[in-house]
Amino acid sequence: TENNNLIKIKNFSKRVGICESFSRSIELCKGEFIIIFGDDDIPAPFLVETILNEIELNANVGLFHFNRLVASDINFTQMQKMRVEQFDFSSTHLNYELSDFIEKYTISPGFISAMVFKRESWSRGDFIDNKKHYGYDFLSRIYAGISKLQDLDCMYISYPLVLQRMVKNREWNDTWPKYWLIGVPNLLSTLDKENISVDAIKTWDNELNKSWKKFVYILLWASSYRNKFKPLIKEIKSYQKGFLRKILVSLIINFCPKFVFSQIRKYLYN
């Protein structure tokens, strides 16, 4: 790095939350566009060249989101069950106004390695109250900032430009159910209230939270950290429609044996 003024290394000793971590990194950036690339993700060949070319060709775009490959880790050198995340190949490039983009892709750009955004959107988005957008507070700030930049579209690129590694154990394993069951619907609800999106919360009911299989799996996940999630039951239930879903929230988190989830995870990662 001593011979390359394009590269800077900054070590932070203080551990902070996701949004604050991104914020202090973004403050060090000087470029017009930013990508925050996860340290365990794998870029496609010519990722940077491709992004720079898209920026040059699309002056009216403030946020780029691209497709990705996803695979489960076996060990440090091997992966399995590789798949494409999104199957919308109607075009290689799809332009959207911000509201339409949010309703279509919602939290998908929350996988940060697959998003490039205008640096100005970060500073312009600090007005939004994102304290309860758990795990996605950074994304709501970017969306809010894009809404303040005049006449900027969002673009989805359908060919994969990054490989996401699905790892069994993460530092935020004990928090993920909170991100999904509370943070996501809070985010979409706030965007609607701020008129950044029109009816994004419907996407929660009709798509994101539609699968019973995923719903029960995440509740089982929460049950394995029972003491942490029992105080959140009321808030979790507020975003569930129907008596059965609401009663399952209480029953599974309060009474399901913890070993059930650990056995399911063991099976899935074997």
Side-chain angles (χ1 to χ4, degrees):
T1 60
E2 293 178 356
N3 300 320
N4 191 333
N5 60 9
L6 296 177
I7 299 174
K8 295 181 181 179
I9 296 176
K10 173 70 176 179
N11 291 317
F12 294 101
S13 57
K14 182 182 177 182
R15 187 174 180 82
V16 297
I18 294 175
C19 197
E20 187 178 347
S21 176
F22 289 174
S23 185
R24 65 186 182 183
S25 299
I26 289 169
E27 287 173 2
L28 298 173
C29 297
K30 301 291 178 65
E32 183 182 358
F33 282 85
I34 290 175
I35 180 171
I36 302 174
F37 203 85
D39 61 347
D40 58 354
D41 299 317
I42 302 171
F46 308 108
L47 169 67
V48 174
E49 291 88 343
T50 302
I51 291 172
L52 291 175
N53 184 60
E54 297 296 349
I55 290 172
E56 184 176 353
L57 294 175
N58 299 281
N60 64 320
V61 174
L63 185 154
F64 297 87
H65 173 47
F66 38 87
N67 206 351
R68 64 186 185 270
L69 298 175
V70 182
S72 299
D73 265 14
I74 300 175
N75 52 44
F76 289 115
T77 60
Q78 291 181 296
M79 287 174 283
Q80 64 178 354
K81 300 178 182 176
M82 187 175 294
R83 59 180 171 82
V84 178
E85 177 66 14
Q86 302 270 0
F87 284 91
D88 185 356
F89 299 112
S90 56
S91 174
T92 58
H93 298 73
L94 296 168
N95 272 54
Y96 297 88
E97 292 184 357
L98 177 61
S99 178
D100 294 332
F101 179 86
I102 291 171
E103 290 178 31
K104 174 72 175 177
Y105 298 104
T106 57
I107 59 165
S108 183
F111 176 65
I112 56 172
S113 300
M115 174 175 63
V116 179
F117 60 94
K118 267 190 174 287
R119 180 164 61 94
E120 187 182 358
S121 67
W122 187 260
S123 57
R124 296 288 293 273
D126 63 355
F127 71 89
I128 197 165
D129 183 4
N130 59 0
K131 292 189 292 293
K132 289 194 172 184
H133 301 168
Y134 309 117
Y136 293 95
D137 45 3
F138 67 93
L139 183 59
S140 59
R141 181 167 174 172
I142 293 169
Y143 279 155
I146 294 291
S147 73
K148 294 297 182 182
L149 299 176
Q150 294 297 317
D151 300 322
L152 284 183
D153 289 341
C154 301
M155 176 177 284
Y156 173 70
I157 300 171
S158 64
Y159 46 86
L161 288 173
V162 62
L163 171 60
Q164 177 184 5
R165 295 169 56 244
M166 300 294 288
V167 182
K168 182 178 180 181
N169 296 310
R170 299 282 195 180
E171 291 182 355
W172 36 261
N173 265 15
D174 62 339
T175 316
W176 167 249
K178 181 180 179 182
Y179 293 172
W180 181 261
L181 295 168
I182 302 176
V184 172
N186 276 345
L187 160 65
L188 300 177
S189 179
T190 300
L191 293 176
D192 285 347
K193 290 174 183 176
E194 293 286 347
N195 295 316
I196 296 170
S197 56
V198 176
D199 215 358
I201 192 62
K202 273 192 174 179
T203 310
W204 169 252
D205 295 318
N206 298 337
E207 295 182 32
L208 299 177
N209 195 42
K210 183 179 180 180
S211 168
W212 279 88
K213 184 177 178 181
K214 184 172 184 177
F215 171 63
V216 172
Y217 176 74
I218 295 176
L219 288 180
L220 289 170
W221 193 331
S223 74
S224 65
Y225 302 99
R226 180 167 293 120
N227 292 337
K228 191 165 189 173
F229 283 92
K230 284 176 71 173
L232 302 176
I233 286 176
K234 183 178 179 180
E235 194 170 1
I236 293 171
K237 289 166 74 172
S238 70
Y239 283 113
Q240 301 301 323
K241 289 189 173 181
F243 174 78
L244 183 55
R245 277 182 176 260
K246 291 179 185 292
I247 199 67
L248 280 175
V249 171
S250 297
L251 289 175
I252 293 176
I253 293 178
N254 278 314
F255 302 113
C256 186
K258 296 180 181 180
F259 75 84
V260 174
F261 179 70
S262 64
Q263 290 301 308
I264 292 173
R265 291 277 283 184
K266 184 177 180 181
Y267 169 77
L268 289 175
Y269 278 87
N270 281 340

